[in-house]
Amino acid sequence: MSLKNFALRDLGILRTNRETAFSARFTDTEEALASFHYSQILDSFENGSESVHRRAAIDGLSGPACGTQYGKDLRSRAAHQTGLFFEKAGESDLARQLYRAGCSPDCNERLVRLLYNTGDRIGAEELLQRMIDDPASDGEHVFATDFYARKFGGRRTGVCTELLRSGRTITVDDSHRGNPEPGVAGVLRREGTKVFFTENVLWHTLFGLLFWDELFESTRMPSGFDWLPHCLKDRSFRRLFAVTIDEKLAAVASGDSLPLILRTVAAKWGRPNGIFSWDHVQVEALRALLEGFDPAAIASIVRSMCDDFRGMRDGFPDLMLVQDGKSSFMEVKAEGDVIRRNQLTRLRQLGAAGLIAEIGRVDYRFDPEQDYVVVDIETTGSWSNGDRITEIGAVKVRNHCVVDEWHSLVNPQRSIPAKIVQLTGITNEMVRDAPLFAEVADRFMEFMGDGIFVAHNVSFDYGFMAYEFDRIARRFRFPKLCTCAGMRRRYPGHKSYGLGKLCEIYGISLDNHHRALCDARATAQLLNLINKKRSEEGYREAA
């Protein structure tokens, strides 16, 4: 419901329907008052002054008890934020009191660090042992075991460092810098592995589809702005729906849950919810998840999500890999990346359940087996938001050799200006019966595959292609390489870096300039000059 609808309803103009009949957020007055008390403390921090924090410390330490997890979470957040202020101010005693009042994983972590740094090693060790024996969350257990091992067990490196070092190294072309996951996926696909981009989306989708009735048919939303059921926030979901949850978990463990999930997809497709996006539902990935792993292990992870959905909402690995009918997970880490605590927790949790989960360490360098798709387009003009494509030429390069070509005229659905006809030689008669862009889009995407998009002045060609795909509601995203910028960097000193001038300098044939396939073929030869230098740089770094 929009803000306008709320206003019209309150004025009595718009009738209230069943979707606006919401359930109460709190079960009793005490819970509501306690939550309100600690919410007020959190809101007061917008001021940020010392007096506000001192008032917050008094109100937090003397505040009402909380009987629900929701209220406890609010109190812990208030205690943690207030404790941080006084810890930085050097008032360690007050900070310790606040952290002890919070009792959340965040408060416990700060308390351990504060005790250790102020010389109370015995207190720190005792608290760590309690956190290990009875952790409030998976993340708390990971922190406690890691900190205890480093500070009291004589180990020099933590769990995160050891896990990174043990990861599998994957050579990825450095054109993928900043977005390594597609590069890793391309390398693995060349090895015969089926790859799905999963991260948190896959598990959220599985959870939401499996428990749709409990979450969205049996539970009313707190408000029209809140699509996440409150029972997931206060961790009451398992208690409220124990019988049906156990039945569905048994179906997962026995390998019989896929039909249930597919029925939900068919019946509820497009219904709004706060768990997952329908645009990201991958039925094939769900099938691979449920059929490629031990179903009892999948049920174990889903059971943990039922117990604490908020605690398990993120940190799942980037990729799911399927080879020879067996599935595994991979978290991708490039140079300089660190493993966040939630990621480490999830990797260990998946492993403990019996699901294979590993780190993929990216080694950026020139990869001769990487596909480069050199593209050139001709258009009705230079404005990507208004002009249209009339011709596409593409050349696929692998290991410095042309391995495939693709070409098509395109009907731009508008007249080609005379000056463009004179420049390119492409007339209105030539494109009148040519396919529309929407009709060639699939073939071009198939040709691109896992390739890197290459062009001379790449922003022009890429911008037009992205706009055309956007017009047909399709996503277009590939790593880019510009041969103009690459030649400037690796072959400096020329007055002009236009395609025609560079072809003249380096003896590259350009007999039909401003036709897409001819220009793409010439650009591919410039790419090989650039890649020759990139390859030499890689050998020097390796040496």
Side-chain angles (χ1 to χ4, degrees):
M1 179 178 281
S2 66
L3 283 171
K4 182 178 74 173
N5 285 348
F6 270 106
L8 292 173
R9 183 200 65 189
D10 292 341
L11 290 171
I13 299 172
L14 183 69
R15 182 184 297 274
T16 300
N17 59 29
R18 66 181 182 87
E19 295 295 333
T20 59
F22 303 114
S23 61
R25 180 177 291 277
F26 304 107
T27 57
D28 54 51
T29 304
E30 289 73 18
E31 178 190 358
L33 290 174
S35 297
F36 180 69
H37 177 84
Y38 295 108
S39 293
Q40 280 191 309
I41 295 176
L42 288 168
D43 290 342
S44 72
F45 292 140
E46 293 181 5
N47 183 305
S49 66
E50 181 181 351
S51 60
V52 166
H53 282 85
R54 292 202 178 277
R55 181 73 257 171
I58 295 170
D59 291 343
L61 292 173
S62 62
C66 299
T68 65
Q69 189 60 47
Y70 183 74
K72 291 176 183 177
D73 287 343
L74 291 173
R75 182 178 63 184
S76 292
R77 285 170 53 197
H80 180 252
Q81 196 161 339
T82 315
L84 287 175
F85 178 86
F86 288 107
E87 184 180 351
K88 291 176 182 178
E91 298 188 38
S92 300
D93 291 341
L94 181 54
R96 281 196 293 269
Q97 291 182 58
L98 290 162
Y99 291 145
R100 286 194 172 98
C103 296
S104 67
D106 286 337
C107 287
N108 285 340
E109 177 179 340
R110 290 312 315 165
L111 181 56
V112 165
R113 294 183 184 277
L114 186 57
L115 291 170
Y116 187 86
N117 292 334
T118 55
D120 188 359
R121 292 173 58 90
I122 295 176
E125 186 173 6
E126 289 177 348
L127 178 56
L128 284 169
Q129 289 174 343
R130 291 200 300 272
M131 293 164 69
I132 293 170
D133 293 338
D134 186 23
S137 69
D138 293 323
E140 181 172 87
H141 185 267
V142 170
F143 162 75
T145 53
D146 185 36
F147 194 90
Y148 189 84
R150 287 188 290 111
K151 302 299 184 181
F152 298 98
R155 287 164 50 185
R156 295 185 179 179
T157 58
V159 175
C160 296
T161 304
E162 289 184 349
L163 188 59
L164 272 175
R165 288 177 178 174
S166 67
R168 170 184 171 189
T169 301
I170 301 171
T171 299
V172 174
D173 192 274
D174 59 11
S175 299
H176 289 279
R177 284 185 185 274
N179 192 23
E181 291 83 4
V184 170
V187 171
L188 296 176
R189 287 189 183 115
R190 294 201 302 267
E191 297 175 353
T193 302
K194 195 166 191 176
V195 182
F196 296 96
F197 294 89
T198 54
E199 203 169 5
N200 306 310
V201 173
L202 179 64
W203 291 95
H204 288 187
T205 303
L206 174 63
F207 183 82
L209 292 173
L210 188 63
F211 299 111
W212 182 277
D213 288 343
E214 292 78 12
L215 291 167
F216 303 111
E217 304 297 339
S218 302
T219 304
R220 290 179 176 176
M221 298 298 106
S223 76
F225 300 109
D226 195 348
W227 288 104
L228 186 67
H230 188 59
C231 60
L232 296 181
K233 296 182 178 181
D234 67 4
R235 303 179 192 172
S236 63
F237 176 62
R238 183 67 181 273
R239 173 176 56 81
L240 293 173
F241 303 101
V243 174
T244 55
I245 287 173
D246 287 341
E247 290 174 354
K248 291 183 177 181
L249 288 175
V252 174
S254 62
D256 298 327
S257 61
L258 185 59
L260 171 64
I261 290 169
L262 295 179
R263 284 197 296 271
T264 304
V265 170
K268 308 298 182 182
W269 183 269
R271 289 273 299 274
N273 68 90
I275 305 295
F276 64 90
S277 167
W278 288 102
D279 291 340
H280 296 152
V281 172
Q282 302 179 71
V283 173
E284 190 178 0
L286 287 168
R287 186 186 301 275
L289 173 67
L290 295 170
E291 296 179 354
F293 291 102
D294 176 6
I298 299 295
S300 174
I301 299 300
V302 177
R303 182 177 293 105
S304 297
M305 296 178 75
C306 292
D307 293 336
D308 183 11
F309 180 81
R310 293 183 69 185
M312 298 213 25
R313 68 185 180 276
D314 53 22
F316 288 100
D318 300 304
L319 307 176
M320 182 171 67
L321 318 178
V322 181
Q323 191 167 32
D324 300 326
K326 299 296 183 181
S327 300
S328 63
F329 291 104
M330 177 176 286
E331 177 69 31
V332 177
K333 290 299 177 185
E335 56 189 29
D337 286 349
V338 297
I339 301 178
R340 297 193 302 273
R341 185 168 300 153
N342 60 341
Q343 295 170 336
L344 175 60
T345 299
R346 219 57 65 225
L347 286 170
R348 297 181 69 179
Q349 187 176 30
L350 291 170
L355 305 175
I356 299 173
E358 62 177 329
I359 294 286
R361 292 192 298 120
V362 174
D363 178 23
Y364 284 124
R365 60 181 67 241
F366 170 67
D367 179 8
E369 296 301 319
Q370 169 69 57
D371 283 348
Y372 296 85
V373 180
V374 186
V375 180
D376 187 84
I377 62 172
E378 302 302 330
T379 66
T380 61
S382 59
W383 183 37
S384 63
N385 287 338
D387 288 302
R388 302 292 298 278
I389 293 174
T390 59
E391 186 180 36
I392 306 171
V395 174
K396 185 173 291 185
V397 177
R398 184 186 309 138
N399 204 5
H400 308 289
C401 296
V402 173
V403 296
D404 203 357
E405 293 184 346
W406 187 88
H407 168 263
S408 180
L409 287 167
V410 179
N411 184 339
Q413 299 180 283
R414 66 190 57 190
S415 178
I416 304 175
K419 63 179 181 179
I420 300 297
V421 173
Q422 183 178 4
L423 177 68
T424 66
I426 301 173
T427 65
N428 289 299
E429 291 73 20
M430 292 170 63
V431 298
R432 181 171 293 122
D433 296 324
L436 302 177
F437 183 84
E439 297 171 328
V440 302
D442 284 338
R443 283 184 282 153
F444 180 77
M445 288 294 279
E446 184 179 352
F447 189 81
M448 279 295 306
D450 290 314
I452 292 171
F453 188 101
V454 183
H456 203 71
N457 294 313
V458 70
S459 295
F460 176 85
D461 301 82
Y462 191 92
F464 264 95
M465 295 297 294
Y467 181 72
E468 290 284 6
F469 273 97
D470 185 62
R471 288 184 69 254
I472 59 175
R474 295 274 297 277
R475 178 182 178 183
F476 186 80
R477 185 175 296 177
F478 291 91
K480 297 177 286 187
L481 190 153
C482 181
T483 51
C484 181
M487 290 297 291
R488 286 182 184 276
R489 176 181 174 184
R490 292 180 169 86
Y491 295 87
H494 303 305
K495 292 183 179 179
S496 171
Y497 284 85
L499 181 60
K501 181 59 67 175
L502 288 174
C503 288
E504 180 183 327
I505 294 171
Y506 290 97
I508 297 172
S509 175
L510 192 63
D511 297 331
N512 201 5
H513 194 17
H514 295 300
R515 289 302 301 271
L517 190 55
C518 173
D519 287 1
R521 287 168 175 165
T523 303
Q525 294 190 56
L526 293 180
L527 172 68
N528 283 339
L529 290 174
I530 294 167
N531 281 348
K532 180 182 178 182
K533 288 290 187 75
R534 292 176 64 213
S535 179
E536 292 170 355
E537 292 166 1
Y539 282 128
R540 285 197 296 271
E541 290 176 5

